[in-house]
Amino acid sequence: MNITHTKLQPFPLSPPLNHHAFLFSRKSFPLSRKLKHAHVKNSPSFTSSLYRKRTLLSYGCFGISRSGIRSSISEVVEEEKQKPALVKRAYPFDEIEHKWQRYWEENRTFRTPDDVDTSKPKYYVLDMFPYPSGAGLHVGHPLGYTATDILARFKRMQGYNVLHPMGWDAFGLPAEQYAIETGTHPKLTTLRNINRFRSQLKSLGFSYDWDREISTTEPEYYKWTQWIFLQLLKRGLAYQAEVPVNWCPALGTVLANEEVVDGVSERGGHPVIRKPMRQWMLKITAYADRLLEDLDELDWPESIKEMQRNWIGRSEGAEVEFCVLDSDGMETDKKITVYTTRPDTIFGATYLVVAPEYTLLSSIVSTKQRESVEEYQEIASRKSDLERTELQKEKTGVFSGCYAKNPTSGEPIPIWVADYVLGSYGTGAIMAVPAHDARDHEFASKFDIPIKWVVTPNNGSCIESVKAYSGEGVIINSSNMNVGLDINGLSSKEAAFKVIEWAEKNGKGKKKVNYKLRDWLFARQRYWGEPIPVIFLEDSGEGIPVLETELPLTLPELDDFTPTGTGEPPLFKADSWVKTIDPSSGKPATRETNTMPQWAGSCWYYLRFMDPKNSSDLVDKAKEKYWSPVDVYVGGAEHAVLHLLYSRFWHKVLYDIGVVSTKEPFKCVINQGIILGEVQYTAYKDTDGNYISADSADELGEYLPEIIPEERVLKSGEHFVLKDNPNIRLTARAHKMSKSRGNVVNPDDVVSEYGADSLRLYEMFMGPFRDSKTWNTSGIEGVHRFLGRTWRLIVGSPLHHGAFRDGTLVTDEEPTMEQLRALHKCIAKVTEEIEGTRFNTGISAMMEFINAAYKWDKHPKAIIEAFVLLLSPYAPHMAEELWSRLGHPDSIAYEAFPKADAVYLKESTIVLPVQINGKTRGTIEVEKGCSEEDAFTLASQDEKLSKYLDGKPIKKRIYVPGKILNVILDRQSAKAGSVQ
């Protein structure tokens, strides 16, 4: 055997570490028992196909009982003392990974040149860049990053120019809160957190172009965020308005929504009210139709597109005026305009509802009811919009003491004030039709308001008076010839059209398209954000945009970040910065002291990655035209609405002014699933301390939960029970990872014990990329074992002292047909699954290949090299090392990805059913074109079929090549033989 040994390049491996974490052997108890107690086996994220089961069983990827990742170095050191001095390792991942990460960094392997060959195809793959929190990454974060890295590496190897950058959405509330608590400047906190995040990402081997790294907090970056704001301002898309904010009198500051919990401040538990303040707004509503229409062109999940459609909330209806009546029932000059999507039901409007913040409320409320209305307004001001519109909450309201006239029926109807109507939606007033709207019906029933039925179902079924009928149908009780309107007998659509026609003709209303989408509140009373580039003249208050040549307008240095207590933002304290001179008039002026929201910097960062060092333009036109749009954008579903909607809005504005060449920023969006913490088992005790079964805990009323460790848990059928008392059923649930639950798994610990390639592979192997799945530390051992087997197949087993030999065990011999077929089947499957982002089944295909390769006596270099190329996007550190050992001086990163040859994908064998006397008794695997005699011989040798054939006389054989073999036994001869 001619064995190839290749010296390592470019760095020698460091001496092997003696560490217990490198011992990865199967536990001594049977595999069946491991499977019995495994969480992973029972997880919905693991598919049930036979193909997948075979590979899982091969590598022990069903959960193996094992303690979790060590959370502290001290525990590792303590256990190390009890280990022998020499430990065999699955493979030397610690040396390999550090070596190749150093190589990539020193050689800038993944740098995308500024001037690329534009004749080549491009592939721009982008992660939703993270906010660098102080907690660093947990194992849920690398899920999306690993997927985009596989795609980036795959496309590089296919000859694409790949843009795969990383940066930081670094302005934000947490850093400012930390500054208030500790006095540490947010800039220092942010830089420290960025350094930690960057270090963690590099330790996982992601192929980012770090030369393009950006942070939204850098003046060179937010100069262009401010520039975009000025373009919005020029076009009337940025304006100021009085809008309600979360005001905490005790703290003397405006709070973000996430700082308000159940109507009180998260910090201190002080009451929070809704208070109108002058704020900057962006007119996103001007782009509502385009944001809606262009969704159809996008390769996005339909669920995300539907969420955006619902958020935009386009509806067609009518605006109708209701005249306010005085105390004598006479019409006044005051009118309440309502918006309705069901003008066909207007005869059924038996009352009006206005929002507590409705602008005309103070002018129409009666003297008698004024105190009650003002008290109700104060209570409503403490609630968020979400709390007010919650469908399940009990409806509240107060009578205004005033009436309006229904313009169609001519009847006076009461005007109520209720918080389920929002001043920010429509006109802030609705006509209430309790017979045909569930909320209105509930409200009318509670306050004893008349209910009038005006629509019957098309099928003629009876209407239940106890609940509203909200569907369309045939109109009834809807005629008033005094005003010239009769819609009885019409369908809902015909009636709606006729009502709108009547309203427009008589000056009572008009057809109207409305949107749920509201203009974007674009100001925060914070220090740590982009300064808004506007000054206000002291004598007139006129707002003047800062000159573009003066950008960036940088943040002033502050030592005190606490709220002012007056409602003014912290920047108000920077007196020398706030006071300025208008350069055009020379008049004294003051700067805007609000800052932009965190959303601002993340709206356009994908453009800056194309040209991050450009000081004269936001992005070079030629570079933007080549790289746009982003081909694949990966991130969490929690950003499905606001971030994506705001980015699309800004992009369309930039398209209109000629900065970008595409109508949409992101061609394809993928939402990765959530990785939940490990399964947590909970038992319940009664007040006497006795365990009770989980299925009866709710009946008991009072009970005490207790977390049960895994070693005390037994799987029993579909449930989990206490091992020492199987009658006690437990609850088993996986929660989202959070510090408060204590279920966060640090990727640093996983990398230390198993290596980055194992973590990458496990996160992709857990289940379909888009599905949520449960973390199981023991499950990572299976993929680690697969990598160890791959290493030993190519390099060999460790020597007696624990180190591994140089070079490889591959041969220079020509591959056999069997080997070529196994390889090209693997190539085809891995290629198809990467392109379809079905990474888990791509890994299964590689596991199948390694299983097959272990049965070969020899391993030709041509076969092994191709497999290492397949492995490279998934486990880049190991692939680089093996590629180097196979004799290649350059990185594997730009080598051509293998292509499957159709010649080797044709199956040479088929499965042939075998019948005995016309009844199928089994199958055999035969070569295509197999003769009848060969097929019969194989059937006779088959363990299952031979018992039907051995010693039995055969009457005849019926053979249809490639279809069936039917053996007819001579029963008469068999009987005669038995008589003799």
Side-chain angles (χ1 to χ4, degrees):
M1 182 184 295
N2 183 14
I3 299 180
T4 303
H5 291 281
T6 308
K7 293 294 183 181
L8 287 174
Q9 298 178 27
F11 300 116
L13 291 176
S14 57
L17 300 177
N18 294 326
H19 195 288
H20 78 285
F22 301 134
L23 178 59
F24 300 98
S25 60
R26 295 178 185 267
K27 298 293 186 289
S28 58
F29 52 82
L31 181 62
S32 60
R33 185 175 169 213
K34 298 173 191 174
L35 296 177
K36 183 178 180 182
H37 298 293
H39 305 313
V40 179
K41 177 188 175 186
N42 298 290
S43 170
S45 64
F46 277 81
T47 61
S48 58
S49 68
L50 179 62
Y51 178 77
R52 183 165 171 74
K53 283 181 179 176
R54 286 201 305 268
T55 53
L56 286 169
L57 286 167
S58 299
Y59 295 98
C61 291
F62 290 141
I64 300 168
S65 179
R66 181 185 176 87
S67 61
I69 294 290
R70 279 69 170 172
S71 59
S72 68
I73 297 299
S74 60
E75 292 177 8
V76 172
V77 173
E78 185 60 32
E79 292 188 23
E80 180 66 26
K81 295 176 182 177
Q82 303 172 24
K83 298 289 178 180
L86 183 64
V87 180
K88 293 182 180 179
R89 299 167 294 167
Y91 72 101
F93 62 83
D94 59 320
E95 304 160 32
I96 291 171
E97 290 176 358
H98 290 147
K99 166 187 172 180
W100 288 103
Q101 287 166 19
R102 189 167 70 249
Y103 173 88
W104 294 330
E105 187 160 355
E106 291 181 1
N107 289 275
R108 299 161 77 194
T109 303
F110 307 113
R111 177 179 174 270
T112 303
D114 287 334
D115 299 315
V116 296
D117 179 1
T118 56
S119 66
K120 293 172 62 177
K122 65 93 179 179
Y123 191 74
Y124 185 1
V125 56
L126 183 64
D127 299 291
M128 292 185 185
F129 68 169
Y131 173 76
S133 68
L137 298 175
H138 63 62
V139 292
H141 292 115
L143 179 66
Y145 303 153
T146 303
T148 57
D149 195 60
I150 290 170
L151 292 171
R153 289 176 178 274
F154 174 65
K155 288 296 183 179
R156 282 192 199 97
M157 297 174 78
Q158 288 190 320
Y160 285 72
N161 289 326
V162 172
L163 186 58
H164 187 40
M166 176 52 74
W168 318 105
D169 189 12
F171 277 128
L173 190 58
E176 184 156 346
Q177 287 177 325
Y178 187 75
I180 292 171
E181 294 167 6
T182 66
T184 306
H185 197 288
K187 183 192 300 181
L188 300 177
T189 305
T190 300
L191 288 174
R192 181 174 66 241
N193 294 346
I194 285 175
N195 288 336
R196 173 161 169 69
F197 262 66
R198 188 191 303 109
S199 174
Q200 287 183 298
L201 292 177
K202 286 186 175 182
S203 75
L204 295 172
F206 298 135
S207 60
Y208 295 123
D209 178 358
W210 288 106
D211 284 6
R212 292 175 183 261
E213 179 183 8
I214 58 176
S215 168
T216 56
T217 62
E218 296 167 353
E220 296 80 12
Y221 179 86
Y222 69 70
K223 164 186 177 178
W224 297 105
T225 309
Q226 293 171 334
W227 181 86
I228 294 172
F229 176 84
L230 292 180
Q231 310 317 303
L232 294 165
L233 191 60
K234 285 179 187 177
R235 285 155 183 80
L237 297 170
Y239 64 96
Q240 287 190 296
E242 291 279 337
V243 295
V245 296
N246 300 315
W247 171 253
C248 179
L251 297 177
T253 187
V254 173
L255 300 178
N257 288 334
E258 58 267 31
E259 296 177 284
V260 182
V261 180
D262 297 328
V264 298
S265 63
E266 186 179 38
R267 183 163 51 94
H270 304 294
V272 176
I273 63 172
R274 299 283 282 173
K275 174 183 176 181
M277 290 184 67
R278 194 158 183 80
Q279 302 283 297
W280 282 100
M281 308 290 293
L282 297 188
K283 201 170 185 179
I284 190 173
T285 51
Y287 281 73
D289 281 326
R290 288 168 63 183
L291 290 168
L292 194 61
E293 292 162 4
D294 292 345
L295 281 171
D296 295 334
E297 302 174 15
L298 300 176
D299 179 17
W300 291 16
E302 193 56 40
S303 59
I304 294 183
K305 293 199 281 188
E306 192 59 26
M307 288 169 72
Q308 293 218 351
R309 290 188 188 106
N310 291 337
W311 191 267
I312 295 168
R314 186 183 189 276
S315 62
E316 294 184 3
E319 277 189 352
V320 182
E321 290 182 347
F322 286 70
C323 186
V324 178
L325 304 177
D326 62 20
S327 58
D328 296 323
M330 303 300 291
E331 294 186 11
T332 68
D333 58 356
K334 297 172 184 173
K335 292 180 173 59
I336 295 178
T337 302
V338 304
Y339 171 77
T340 177
T341 59
R342 293 293 303 273
D344 58 311
T345 66
I346 191 167
F347 277 91
T350 57
Y351 65 103
L352 297 182
V353 182
V354 298
E357 59 274 17
Y358 185 62
T359 53
L360 297 179
L361 180 55
S362 61
S363 66
I364 63 175
V365 67
S366 70
T367 304
K368 182 180 177 181
Q369 288 295 107
R370 185 171 298 278
E371 185 177 345
S372 297
V373 169
E374 290 176 349
E375 182 181 344
Y376 185 79
Q377 287 178 304
E378 198 276 328
I379 293 171
S381 72
R382 300 176 189 172
K383 300 178 183 178
S384 68
D385 289 354
L386 189 62
E387 290 174 298
R388 287 171 53 177
T389 54
E390 172 58 49
L391 292 177
Q392 304 304 320
K393 84 176 186 72
E394 183 180 359
K395 299 297 179 288
T396 64
V398 61
F399 179 42
S400 70
C402 190
Y403 291 80
K405 182 180 178 180
N406 185 319
T408 57
S409 69
E411 298 171 354
I413 58 176
I415 302 171
W416 283 74
V417 183
D419 63 5
Y420 75 87
V421 175
L422 301 177
S424 59
Y425 179 65
T427 63
I430 66 165
M431 68 176 205
V433 185
H436 304 291
D437 182 274
R439 288 187 312 174
D440 297 345
H441 189 280
E442 182 184 346
F443 191 91
S445 299
K446 179 176 179 178
F447 293 103
D448 199 23
I449 301 172
I451 297 174
K452 180 180 179 181
W453 303 91
V454 294
V455 181
T456 58
N458 286 316
N459 60 12
S461 60
C462 296
I463 298 173
E464 298 180 46
S465 60
V466 294
K467 64 179 183 180
Y469 170 68
S470 59
E472 295 185 349
V474 178
I475 305 302
I476 60 173
N477 302 325
S478 299
S479 176
N480 183 3
M481 297 315 296
N482 291 328
V483 296
L485 182 62
D486 179 6
I487 56 175
N488 281 335
L490 298 179
S491 69
S492 290
K493 287 184 179 178
E494 291 171 331
F497 178 80
K498 191 167 182 179
V499 169
I500 293 172
E501 186 179 52
W502 171 86
E504 290 180 334
K505 181 179 178 180
N506 291 277
K508 301 293 185 180
K510 60 182 179 180
K511 185 177 181 179
K512 176 76 172 178
V513 174
N514 203 18
Y515 301 90
K516 288 182 182 177
L517 181 66
R518 304 267 66 84
D519 282 343
W520 176 10
L521 176 60
F522 196 74
R524 297 291 184 270
Q525 290 67 48
R526 299 289 170 196
Y527 167 76
W528 195 232
E530 299 93 339
I532 294 175
V534 174
I535 62 174
F536 299 94
L537 299 180
E538 287 188 359
D539 59 357
S540 65
E542 179 187 358
I544 307 292
V546 171
L547 296 175
E548 292 180 14
T549 54
E550 293 184 5
L551 299 180
L553 173 61
T554 57
L555 281 168
E557 291 296 326
L558 280 184
D559 296 322
D560 179 12
F561 310 101
T562 57
T564 59
T566 63
E568 293 289 350
L571 281 178
F572 187 75
K573 299 176 182 180
D575 190 62
S576 61
W577 181 85
V578 172
K579 292 181 178 179
T580 186
I581 299 295
D582 172 30
S584 58
S585 66
K587 294 180 179 180
T590 57
R591 296 192 187 280
E592 171 63 71
T593 53
N594 285 312
T595 52
M596 298 184 193
Q598 187 176 355
W599 299 104
S602 62
C603 277
W604 69 279
Y605 72 106
Y606 59 93
L607 293 171
R608 194 60 178 173
F609 278 137
M610 301 174 187
D611 194 15
K613 304 295 192 293
N614 194 329
S615 60
S616 57
D617 289 296
L618 184 147
V619 61
D620 177 78
K621 285 187 179 296
K623 292 176 181 177
E624 183 279 327
K625 189 171 184 179
Y626 177 72
W627 287 113
S628 285
V630 175
D631 292 283
V632 175
Y633 192 34
V634 175
E638 65 272 18
H639 302 299
V641 177
L642 295 183
H643 163 62
L644 290 175
L645 200 61
Y646 293 157
S647 292
R648 294 179 63 221
F649 166 45
W650 276 31
H651 191 89
K652 289 182 183 303
V653 174
L654 294 174
Y655 176 77
D656 289 347
I657 64 177
V659 174
V660 298
S661 59
T662 63
K663 292 193 297 182
E664 289 286 339
F666 313 117
K667 181 179 179 181
C668 173
V669 169
I670 301 175
N671 293 138
Q672 79 268 24
I674 297 171
I675 294 184
L676 303 172
E678 296 203 55
V679 173
Q680 190 176 76
Y681 303 96
T682 306
Y684 301 92
K685 289 182 176 181
D686 60 23
T687 52
D688 295 327
N690 301 312
Y691 282 117
I692 55 174
S693 193
D695 51 353
S696 60
D698 289 338
E699 300 172 10
L700 188 65
E702 293 186 21
Y703 55 84
L704 300 172
E706 178 184 334
I707 304 301
I708 303 297
E710 183 182 347
E711 55 266 23
R712 292 181 57 200
V713 177
L714 186 68
K715 183 79 164 59
S716 176
E718 295 299 315
H719 305 287
F720 294 93
V721 297
L722 278 177
K723 188 179 291 184
D724 53 3
N725 188 353
N727 293 322
I728 302 300
R729 188 182 295 178
L730 311 175
T731 57
R733 184 179 175 188
H735 299 272
K736 189 174 180 179
M737 289 189 183
S738 67
K739 287 196 297 182
S740 61
R741 288 193 178 275
N743 64 347
V744 171
V745 179
N746 190 327
D748 297 350
D749 298 330
V750 182
V751 170
S752 175
E753 189 162 352
Y754 295 101
D757 284 344
S758 292
L759 175 59
R760 290 168 59 109
L761 226 59
Y762 177 58
E763 297 221 349
M764 295 296 97
F765 194 58
M766 291 173 74
F769 177 58
R770 292 163 176 80
D771 292 359
S772 293
K773 37 224 166 239
T774 302
W775 178 267
N776 190 309
T777 299
S778 61
I780 200 172
E781 295 191 11
V783 292
H784 184 79
R785 188 175 297 113
F786 159 67
L787 289 174
R789 293 188 79 217
T790 301
W791 177 265
R792 291 192 300 276
L793 178 80
I794 300 171
V795 175
S797 299
L799 303 175
H800 68 279
H801 51 73
F804 290 88
R805 63 171 54 84
D806 291 346
T808 66
L809 298 178
V810 301
T811 70
D812 290 329
E813 298 179 29
E814 289 295 316
T816 66
M817 184 60 70
E818 175 193 1
Q819 291 170 333
L820 288 168
R821 284 175 179 155
L823 172 66
H824 284 270
K825 180 182 176 182
C826 185
I827 292 172
K829 185 68 174 177
V830 171
T831 302
E832 179 184 356
E833 300 308 81
I834 290 179
E835 289 175 341
T837 64
R838 298 179 293 271
F839 305 109
N840 55 326
T841 46
I843 296 170
S844 294
M846 290 188 283
M847 289 179 168
E848 290 273 302
F849 175 85
I850 291 297
N851 283 345
Y854 261 91
K855 298 174 184 176
W856 304 337
D857 293 330
K858 300 173 183 177
H859 300 94
K861 184 177 182 181
I863 298 291
I864 297 303
E865 282 188 337
F867 175 76
V868 171
L869 290 167
L870 291 181
L871 182 65
S872 177
Y874 287 90
H877 304 91
M878 175 179 280
E880 287 278 20
E881 180 64 23
L882 293 175
W883 192 248
S884 174
R885 285 170 174 256
L886 287 164
H888 302 281
D890 298 323
S891 169
I892 198 173
Y894 295 92
E895 295 294 331
F897 199 80
K899 293 182 179 179
D901 190 331
V903 171
Y904 301 114
L905 297 179
K906 297 175 182 177
E907 293 291 342
S908 62
T909 61
I910 59 170
V911 176
L912 186 74
V914 178
Q915 294 183 340
I916 308 296
N917 292 333
K919 187 172 184 178
T920 302
R921 297 294 187 178
T923 60
I924 55 176
E925 190 171 340
V926 300
E927 292 286 333
K928 286 183 178 179
C930 175
S931 68
E932 178 183 336
E933 193 60 40
D934 288 341
F936 180 74
T937 301
L938 288 169
S940 302
Q941 295 170 351
D942 183 83
E943 182 179 355
K944 183 178 179 181
L945 294 169
S946 61
K947 65 182 180 181
Y948 296 103
L949 298 173
D950 285 351
K952 307 284 175 66
I954 296 172
K955 185 175 182 179
K956 66 175 178 177
R957 298 189 306 229
I958 302 171
Y959 180 62
V960 180
K963 300 293 185 181
I964 197 167
L965 170 64
N966 187 5
V967 181
I968 309 298
L969 300 178
D970 189 344
R971 293 177 178 174
Q972 294 298 325
S973 297
K975 288 180 180 178
S978 64
V979 171
Q980 294 174 359

